[in-house]
Amino acid sequence: MQLSASEIAEIEFETTDDDGNHIDGFLAITQADLEKVMEPYLARTIQMMEDIIQRNQVKPDDIKFVLMVGGSTYSPFIRQEVGRRLELEVNTRIDPTTAVAVGAAFYAGTKPKKVGADSTPENQEEAQILVKMAYQKASQDESEYFTARFTGETEGLFYRITRMDGGFDSGLKPLQAQIREDLPLIKDNFNQFDLKVYDEQNNLIPTDATPIGIAQGRYSVVGQPLPNDICLEVDDIENNTTALEVIFEKNTILPAKRTFTKQITRTLAKGSDERVTITVLEGSRTALPAALQPIGFISISGKELSRDLVRGSDVEITLEISESRDLKITTYLMMTDQEYEDVFTPSERKVNVFRLHEELHTLAEKVRQEIRDAEDQDNYEAAQKMVDLEYEILDLADQTKNMSEDDITDDKFQIEDRKRKIAQRVDELTRDKLIIKIKNEYFETKRYMEFVITRYEPSEEDQQAYADIIATEKEILATNSSIKIRELIDKVLRLNWKIRWNSSKYLREFFSDLIYGRYGAFTNVDKAYEIIARGQQAIEENNDKALQVCINQLFELLPPSQKKSVRFGGTGIG
């Protein structure tokens, strides 16, 4: 505090040496000394702000000012450096030490009060008149519409609404079953009103009415947004690993709820020790699953099942997140008619030891693959960095090997934190490689698309659809987001398949490719011959719709090994 106003601060203190002798100490600290200590933290803060600006594709010109919050922003050095480095105005017009508390209090004031099922407000026990009120608890307008319904004997009674500061008084008005009022509001303030009921003698009649609170202007808050994506970890069968599926996107306003259906990817036998784990993670959708923060999970063991859970069977999952960030996971197994439910709070961490051990082995295999790729490219520096990370991962895996699920120590939390930091490091080291790979995939997809357009002559509508996709190419590639580039690839692939599937020329080529050399491979040869005959007739009659049906039917008669060798293109037949 002294150094905020003075060039130097002199500090006197008392201490003892190693022999227990008393020492009077004196220390002079300059502003330059303090700034040197603060510099790394300030640099990290500036970097975070620049990352946020870049990530959201915002230009500095789009930002009005930087609002300073927190006691440390009293420091002139911090205010000056933030403004100078970001080239933005620094706003210090609010009290930085109370801003968050004030905002939280006003936000809480806009939320409805909840009364437990077994509790009754004191004023309701003796209330002769019951009141149900409706109004917006936050408003940008100069007045707010208010309505209330009354239950009880209202004949001969009156009501009166007053603002607590004395600036508004509705006066006594006859009470009806429903009333309406426009309540004037003080700008940029929290407005509180009282609703009272009186009889003809001006005696107060007991009601269960609570104070009316309306925040006007700057205190109008729509809801708390999610700071990160909320994702479900799902199996990536093709690559023998796991991937992330976004359930709630970043900036989703809480509370939020979503129900969806997934398929079990492996059979879980009744009575077995095997498990199916539903894991909910928080973080960036573009990162490795192991790099995200686990916020809740439900683990289903074969020992808990009433019957076998067959691969491909449906599981209904419901995720609910409250404004307090409590996560409720409800899982319903349709095949066994069993339901599992748990609630996870941010203040109480839970780590699934079984899943943690699995994640470490998956992460180790990912690192080994990266080492092999780096060595194949003679990039021994990158390979060595990965080798160092592999040793750390294997060390953590050894520590979890003999750890029980009901372990009560902090070890599993420490291992989880270290695992996440290692995964983030792996993500950083491989991100550029991933972006290059997916961009190359996009250009390959684009080249194939141009071949298809030349060969199969799409309609003007499809050609325009492709032109619209290409118009977004430069902007999307510039984001260096693997998710957005993947979405672009999928758009091209879907259009690619649509063009080919609507082309008579392609259907005839594909039909010939489907039956060539496969006459004995179909699971039902007699039925296949019958379908082939119908397909050949459809070709003679130029009946593309009938030919499409024949192609689909023949494809379903192929064994799984043969299906993989048939290229429908794009994202497949489905």
Side-chain angles (χ1 to χ4, degrees), residues 45 73 171 192 198 268 300 322 335 406 487 510-511:
T45 302
T73 60
Q192 188 163 320
Y198 301 89
L268 191 62
I300 303 168
S322 71
M335 177 171 277
D406 57 357
E487 290 172 353
F510 188 68
F511 181 76

Side-chain angles (χ1 to χ4, degrees), residues 344-391:
F344 304 87
T345 64
S347 59
E348 183 182 352
R349 283 186 66 184
K350 291 187 179 181
V351 171
N352 183 334
V353 173
F354 173 79
R355 186 69 192 133
L356 176 59
H357 190 68
E358 269 194 347
E359 285 180 336
L360 286 165
H361 280 282
T362 302
L363 186 58
E365 183 52 45
K366 162 77 174 172
V367 168
R368 290 189 196 103
Q369 183 59 53
E370 294 297 336
I371 293 170
R372 289 192 289 269
D373 290 348
E375 289 176 343
D376 288 344
Q377 297 170 14
D378 295 332
N379 189 348
Y380 297 109
E381 181 181 353
Q384 185 56 53
K385 290 178 181 177
M386 287 293 176
V387 168
D388 293 341
L389 293 176
E390 182 186 11
Y391 286 138

Side-chain angles (χ1 to χ4, degrees), residues 283-317:
S284 171
R285 68 180 77 183
T286 62
L288 294 171
L292 271 62
Q293 172 74 49
I295 57 173
F297 65 88
I298 286 182
S299 186
I300 303 168
S301 168
K303 291 181 178 179
E304 302 169 351
L305 297 177
S306 58
R307 56 177 292 187
D308 290 350
L309 192 61
V310 179
R311 175 183 176 181
S313 58
D314 289 337
V315 51
E316 184 181 88
I317 302 171

Side-chain angles (χ1 to χ4, degrees), residues 190-473:
F190 186 75
N191 296 259
Q192 188 163 320
F193 300 82
D194 270 340
L195 169 63
K196 303 289 187 185
V197 175
Y198 301 89
D199 63 14
E200 291 179 337
Q201 285 75 42
N202 211 31
N203 296 314
L204 189 64
I205 303 298
T207 72
D208 67 341
T210 57
I212 304 162
I214 304 173
Q216 200 284 340
R218 59 180 174 174
Y219 299 116
S220 179
V221 186
V222 293
Q224 178 184 336
L226 277 173
N228 298 297
D229 296 322
I230 302 295
C231 306
L232 186 72
E233 187 174 14
V234 296
D235 286 337
D236 182 353
I237 303 297
E238 185 177 340
N239 297 307
N240 194 30
T241 184
T242 60
L244 296 172
E245 181 175 315
V246 179
I247 306 301
F248 300 116
E249 291 188 341
K250 178 182 176 180
N251 292 328
T252 296
I253 300 299
L254 298 180
K257 179 179 179 180
R258 184 178 167 194
T259 298
F260 51 94
T261 301
K262 305 299 293 181
Q263 284 72 45
I264 301 297
T265 58
R266 60 177 183 274
T267 297
L268 191 62
K270 175 186 174 183
S272 70
D273 290 327
E274 292 187 345
R275 293 175 178 270
V276 168
T277 304
I278 293 148
T279 306
V280 181
L281 306 165
E282 179 177 8
S284 171
R285 68 180 77 183
T286 62
L288 294 171
L292 271 62
Q293 172 74 49
I295 57 173
F297 65 88
I298 286 182
S299 186
I300 303 168
S301 168
K303 291 181 178 179
E304 302 169 351
L305 297 177
S306 58
R307 56 177 292 187
D308 290 350
L309 192 61
V310 179
R311 175 183 176 181
S313 58
D314 289 337
V315 51
E316 184 181 88
I317 302 171
T318 300
L319 299 184
E320 296 179 70
I321 304 182
S322 71
E323 285 186 296
S324 301
R325 299 288 304 279
D326 293 334
L327 170 68
K328 181 181 178 182
I329 307 176
T330 305
T331 302
Y332 175 60
L333 304 178
M334 298 183 181
M335 177 171 277
T336 65
D337 192 29
Q338 289 175 276
E339 187 172 87
Y340 301 82
E341 181 180 293
D342 206 346
V343 177
F344 304 87
T345 64
S347 59
E348 183 182 352
R349 283 186 66 184
K350 291 187 179 181
V351 171
N352 183 334
V353 173
F354 173 79
R355 186 69 192 133
L356 176 59
H357 190 68
E358 269 194 347
E359 285 180 336
L360 286 165
H361 280 282
T362 302
L363 186 58
E365 183 52 45
K366 162 77 174 172
V367 168
R368 290 189 196 103
Q369 183 59 53
E370 294 297 336
I371 293 170
R372 289 192 289 269
D373 290 348
E375 289 176 343
D376 288 344
Q377 297 170 14
D378 295 332
N379 189 348
Y380 297 109
E381 181 181 353
Q384 185 56 53
K385 290 178 181 177
M386 287 293 176
V387 168
D388 293 341
L389 293 176
E390 182 186 11
Y391 286 138
E392 290 187 56
I393 296 167
L394 295 177
D395 176 53
L396 295 179
D398 284 340
Q399 294 180 48
T400 61
K401 190 181 299 181
N402 299 317
M403 189 177 288
S404 63
E405 194 61 54
D406 57 357
D407 183 274
I408 60 173
T409 69
D410 289 337
D411 293 348
K412 58 186 177 184
F413 302 120
Q414 295 170 6
I415 293 171
E416 162 64 33
D417 289 338
R418 287 182 60 192
K419 180 267 302 180
R420 192 153 34 88
K421 288 177 181 177
I422 293 171
Q424 290 168 356
R425 181 65 179 143
V426 173
D427 205 40
E428 289 170 6
L429 292 172
T430 59
R431 187 170 298 162
D432 289 344
K433 172 187 165 184
L434 174 63
I435 294 299
I436 292 171
K437 180 179 178 182
I438 201 166
K439 282 184 177 180
N440 286 337
E441 184 181 345
Y442 168 72
F443 288 119
E444 284 294 327
T445 305
K446 182 180 176 183
R447 275 193 287 272
Y448 181 49
M449 181 64 164
E450 288 166 355
F451 162 77
V452 166
I453 288 173
T454 302
R455 183 172 179 81
Y456 299 115
E457 300 174 355
S459 65
E460 289 186 8
E461 179 187 351
D462 288 339
Q463 290 186 56
Q464 183 58 49
Y466 181 58
D468 293 341
I469 293 173
I470 294 301
T472 66
E473 172 188 284

Side-chain angles (χ1 to χ4, degrees), residues 57 67 132 156 162 238 280 346 358 415 438 469 482 488 514:
Q57 298 180 21
L67 183 66
K132 189 173 184 180
T162 57
E238 185 177 340
V280 181
E358 269 194 347
I415 293 171
I438 201 166
I469 293 173
S482 60
L488 185 65
L514 192 59

